């Protein structure tokens, strides 16, 4: 196993121009597999609301949901750095509540850092959480918790005004102390410019190849979640088909008496069982 990935590894990777890999994880066994594959960081994203809980968007995800899934992922990850997403309303009410909720993800969820969405509007919260010694990742561009303000899942920063706002927000987040920024669904050239201007790494999702790292939702990457597949997703496996085929084979073998066979069955001596008849 190579060295544990930490906040300093993010900084070192940016300096050494080494790409940072990140995938989402929501449960123990998947976290363990991704960790074995040596992905650098695991994000317990609030996307779990959609891919794990079947909601239409991420807005219904609660702190309790996040703590529950962060605990599971933290137990499965040995090398990867685990980041917990702060859900909708967990950092919007007051600075005090924001710090307390970030602290819960660390203390109860066992994660190493938190992520929250937004730029200038959440700068005070970011500074307060960082002051509490909790590493923070920012998230700009298409921030799914603002879906009702955006009017849908749309590419952000396509005109001068919105592109400038994202760039300024990135600089403000860096000043406030975040150690990396996720850029979601922004034009490639804007992500490139931001990545060049920042001293901290950018992690892209639908933001092109010039980011310092990439993140994907694991269920998208493995072809397991098919309700909606964004343009930026590349499927590296078709587990959907593999799971359906395996399930069909199990049902058929069970119905035909092929499963369970002797090798999957426990035996008892005949003279013992005969006494019970
Ligand atoms: O919730 C999530 O999974 C995310 C990533 C898509 C960046 O925020």
């Amino acid at each position: 196993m190579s060295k544990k990935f930490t906040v300093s590894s993010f900084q070192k990777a940016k300096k050494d121009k080494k790409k940072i890999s990140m995938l989402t994880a929501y449960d123990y066994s998947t976290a363990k597999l991704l960790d074995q594959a040596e992905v650098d960081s695991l994000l317990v994203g609030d996307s779990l609301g959609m891919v794990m809980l079947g909601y239409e968007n991420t807005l219904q995800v609660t702190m309790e949901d996040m703590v529950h899934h962060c605990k599971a992922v933290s137990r499965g990850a040995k090398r990867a750095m685990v980041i917990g997403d702060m859900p909708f309303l967990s950092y919007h009410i007051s600075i005090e509540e924001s710090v307390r909720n970030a602290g819960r993800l660390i203390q109860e969820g066992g994660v190493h850092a938190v992520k929250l969405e937004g730029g200038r509007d959440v700068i005070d919260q970011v500074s307060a959480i960082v002051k509490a010694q909790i590493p923070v990742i920012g998230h700009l561009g298409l921030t799914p918790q603002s879906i009702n303000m955006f009017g849908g899942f749309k590419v952000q920063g396509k005109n001068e005004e919105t592109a400038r706002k994202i760039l300024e927000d990135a600089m403000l987040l860096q000043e406030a102390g975040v150690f990396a920024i996720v850029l979601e669904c922004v034009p490639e050239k804007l992500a490139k410019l931001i990545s060049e201007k920042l001293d901290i790494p950018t992690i892209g999702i639908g933001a092109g190849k010039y980011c310092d790292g990439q993140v994907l939702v694991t269920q998208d990457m493995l072809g397991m979640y098919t309700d909606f597949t964004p343009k930026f997703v590349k499927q590296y496996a078709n587990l959907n088909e593999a799971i359906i085929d395996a399930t069909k084979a199990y049902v058929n073998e069970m119905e035909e008496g092929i499963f369970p066979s002797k090798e999957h069955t426990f035996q008892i001596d005949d003279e013992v069982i005969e006494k019970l008849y």
Side-chain angles (χ1 to χ4, degrees):
M1 188 175 81
S2 54
K3 239 176 96 196
K4 207 166 162 45
F5 213 79
T6 63
V7 170
S8 331
S9 318
F10 272 79
Q11 277 150 5
K12 185 166 180 330
K14 171 97 182 184
K15 197 170 127 262
D16 296 348
K17 297 190 176 358
K18 183 179 175 308
K19 297 277 186 186
I20 300 163
S21 56
M22 184 184 288
L23 282 170
T24 64
Y26 317 106
D27 68 274
Y28 170 76
S29 47
T30 309
K32 222 173 139 187
L33 287 171
L34 302 178
D35 192 70
Q36 275 168 27
E38 302 212 338
V39 67
D40 295 325
S41 51
L42 293 176
L43 171 67
V44 189
D46 63 352
S47 51
L48 69 84
M50 295 164 85
V51 296
M52 290 285 112
L53 305 176
Y55 297 142
E56 237 173 61
N57 53 49
T58 58
L59 299 179
Q60 291 174 66
V61 176
T62 63
M63 270 303 295
E64 302 316 314
D65 293 329
M66 291 310 304
V67 168
H68 177 75
H69 288 274
C70 285
K71 280 182 178 177
V73 171
S74 307
R75 287 185 208 116
K78 297 281 173 273
R79 174 190 174 267
M81 177 162 176
V82 182
I83 298 145
D85 228 351
M86 296 196 67
F88 180 56
L89 284 191
S90 69
Y91 54 99
H92 304 87
I93 314 254
S94 72
I95 305 280
E96 203 179 292
E97 232 180 278
S98 311
V99 177
R100 185 171 303 119
N101 284 327
R104 282 193 68 196
L105 295 183
I106 303 281
Q107 202 166 48
E108 297 173 46
V111 302
H112 307 112
V114 301
K115 174 171 86 57
L116 54 82
E117 298 181 4
R120 62 201 69 196
D121 296 338
V122 295
I123 287 299
D124 292 344
Q125 291 91 315
V126 169
S127 303
I129 296 169
V130 172
K131 268 197 198 128
Q133 306 304 306
I134 299 171
V136 179
I137 294 200
H139 184 160
L140 294 172
L142 172 57
T143 45
Q145 291 172 16
S146 308
I147 185 85
N148 291 327
M149 297 292 269
F150 292 146
F153 292 102
K154 295 176 189 159
V155 179
Q156 301 295 309
K158 286 185 83 163
N159 61 41
E160 189 189 333
E161 188 193 343
T162 54
R164 191 179 295 284
K165 182 167 182 285
I166 296 172
L167 173 61
E168 285 171 3
D169 280 349
M171 301 309 285
L172 288 170
L173 283 171
Q174 174 171 269
E175 271 169 43
V178 303
F179 70 94
I181 299 178
V182 168
L183 294 175
E184 179 164 353
C185 270
V186 298
E188 184 170 66
K189 284 186 180 161
L190 175 61
K192 180 172 185 280
L193 176 68
I194 295 171
S195 304
E196 285 165 3
K197 291 223 176 223
L198 290 178
D199 300 323
I200 53 170
T202 56
I203 309 293
I205 174 162
K209 66 180 177 188
Y210 299 106
C211 291
D212 302 299
Q214 296 291 328
V215 57
L216 279 179
V217 168
T218 296
Q219 277 68 9
D220 288 339
M221 187 272 288
L222 295 178
M224 286 172 80
Y225 179 76
T226 50
D227 289 9
F228 164 67
T229 307
K231 170 184 160 78
F232 57 75
V233 167
K234 180 168 178 184
Q235 287 187 350
Y236 285 84
N238 188 346
L239 292 198
N240 206 37
E241 215 169 277
I243 290 171
I244 292 171
D245 287 350
T247 307
K248 281 186 179 164
Y250 158 70
V251 171
N252 283 342
E253 287 201 356
M254 194 268 304
E255 284 174 355
E256 286 168 22
I258 300 169
F259 177 83
S261 65
K262 212 162 183 182
E263 88 185 276
H264 300 109
T265 310
F266 304 103
Q267 305 304 329
I268 186 173
D269 288 343
D270 284 350
E271 63 258 32
V272 176
I273 197 72
E274 273 157 19
K275 285 187 191 145
L276 302 178
Y277 273 94

